[in-house]
Amino acid sequence: MSTEQTSTPASGFTYTLTRTLDAPAARVWQAWTTPDQYAQWAHAAPGSVTMDVRPGGAWKSTMITPDGAEFPLTGTYTEVTENRHLVTGMDIPGRPDPTLMTMTLTEEGPRNTVITLTQTCETAEERDMAEQGSGMLLDGLEGFLGDGSGR
């Protein structure tokens, strides 16, 4: 996995995470956009994930942290290109606009897919927390795809 952080206070604080997964892009997409599969690897409370994967479609999930705390999350999808590109907006209390995370899938051969997550946050602290959470998501996804349950 490679990580890149850029700090541009005028436009926010951005991170980019990249990882190569041992699965075709369609399989990665399915794991990321199917509620029951997503719940298995994304540290979500059972039964809490709903997804309407289309531009303007809503999603929600309750994430469980390693220490057991639960965080309900909601948002909408703003861009959807099946098996290639997904922009997800996350609602942040007290903010008029959602925080956007972009996921891009690039196939490198029949069984290798590069997944890239990019997000811009308002503060360095928010970026660092979001990057840590995204890293945990990629760890879970990689484990799910690699242990056979995601195939």
Side-chain angles (χ1 to χ4, degrees):
M1 175 175 67
S2 62
T3 300
E4 177 185 320
Q5 284 189 354
T6 55
S7 299
T8 355
S11 62
F13 297 84
T14 300
Y15 72 87
T16 299
L17 299 177
T18 302
R19 192 171 297 187
T20 300
L21 302 170
D22 181 23
R27 181 65 208 102
V28 177
W29 180 268
Q30 182 181 23
W32 197 283
T33 61
T34 305
D36 62 329
Q37 290 184 34
Y38 184 86
Q40 290 179 51
W41 60 265
H43 312 284
S48 72
V49 179
T50 62
M51 298 174 162
D52 181 8
V53 185
R54 62 182 174 85
W59 65 270
K60 72 176 183 173
S61 176
T62 299
M63 306 310 288
I64 302 174
T65 65
D67 63 2
E70 294 189 6
F71 290 95
L73 302 172
T74 61
T76 56
Y77 298 102
T78 61
E79 296 177 32
V80 178
T81 305
E82 189 171 347
N83 299 332
R84 297 187 57 180
H85 183 78
L86 187 67
V87 179
T88 306
M90 183 169 47
D91 300 327
I92 306 291
R95 293 196 189 153
D97 297 319
T99 296
L100 301 178
M101 180 176 71
T102 300
M103 176 194 62
T104 304
L105 301 175
T106 306
E107 282 193 325
E108 291 188 346
R111 293 225 21 99
N112 287 325
T113 300
V114 175
I115 184 170
T116 303
L117 301 179
T118 303
Q119 186 171 355
T120 299
C121 302
E122 290 189 5
T123 68
E125 179 182 37
E126 183 182 312
R127 177 206 54 212
D128 293 347
M129 289 175 50
E131 182 178 5
Q132 181 180 17
S134 292
M136 289 173 56
L137 282 177
L138 289 176
D139 290 345
L141 177 60
E142 189 171 38
F144 178 75
L145 293 170
D147 72 6
S149 61
R151 297 183 196 265

